[in-house]
Each structure stands twice: as structure tokens, then as C-alpha cells.
Amino acid sequence: MPSGASTGAFEAYELRDGDERFGGRGVAKAVGFVNGVLRREVEGLEALDQRRVDRAMIDLDGSTNSSRRAGAAYWSMANDARKAS
């Protein structure tokens, strides 16, 4: 995932902590989101059904570009499901 000044308009949204750790670039919020809300959303879904996994994450976010939650986390989760299948 690209990050920082080189990030373009079409890159996945990164959920960053914004606190003093790592100059605000920490990812504890994103990890908590993946291990909590996102995990509960996709747990039990068949990894071979990539469309269903993707749809569950898109619906969870509710935006057209996965910007409300953590698009980078969605990308990672979808890629992991693909590898598992």
C-alpha cells in the first residue's frame, strides 16, 4: 500500500491513529478495526466466495470508495481471502 506524499486520489484510505506515536502514523485503530468489527463481519464466510467477502466489506463501509473505515484493511482482508482459497 502506498503511503505518504506519493499517495494518489485512487489509493485506499488508511485509518491512522493521529496521536503522538509514530508521528500520528500509527495503525492501532486499524488493527482494532480489523480484529473487531471487520473480523465479525467476514468470519464464517467461505473464502472461495470472494465476491461475498468483498460485498460484506463494501456494505460495512457504506461509501463508494471505502473511505469511511479503512480501505487499506479491506484490501488486505480481500487479498488474504484470495490466498486462502
Side-chain angles (χ1 to χ4, degrees), residues 1 3 8-9 12 17-18 29 35 37 43-44 46-47 50 60 68 73 76 81:
M1 290 268 103
S3 180
D17 296 340
K29 287 181 184 176
N35 289 337
V37 175
E43 193 169 44
E46 177 59 51
Q50 185 73 53
L60 177 65
R68 291 200 179 114
S76 297

Side-chain angles (χ1 to χ4, degrees), residues 5 12-14 21 25 31 50 61 66 72 82 84:
Y13 171 76
E14 295 177 333
R21 293 178 331 107
R25 309 285 296 161
V31 170
Q50 185 73 53
D61 186 82
S66 298
R82 181 192 59 79

Side-chain angles (χ1 to χ4, degrees), residues 43-58:
E43 193 169 44
L45 297 181
E46 177 59 51
L48 290 173
D49 191 350
Q50 185 73 53
R51 288 181 194 263
R52 187 169 178 204
V53 171
D54 290 347
R55 176 53 48 201
M57 292 186 290
I58 290 167

Side-chain angles (χ1 to χ4, degrees), residues 4 14 19 24 35 64 79:
E14 295 177 333
D19 59 11
N35 289 337
T64 58
N79 195 45

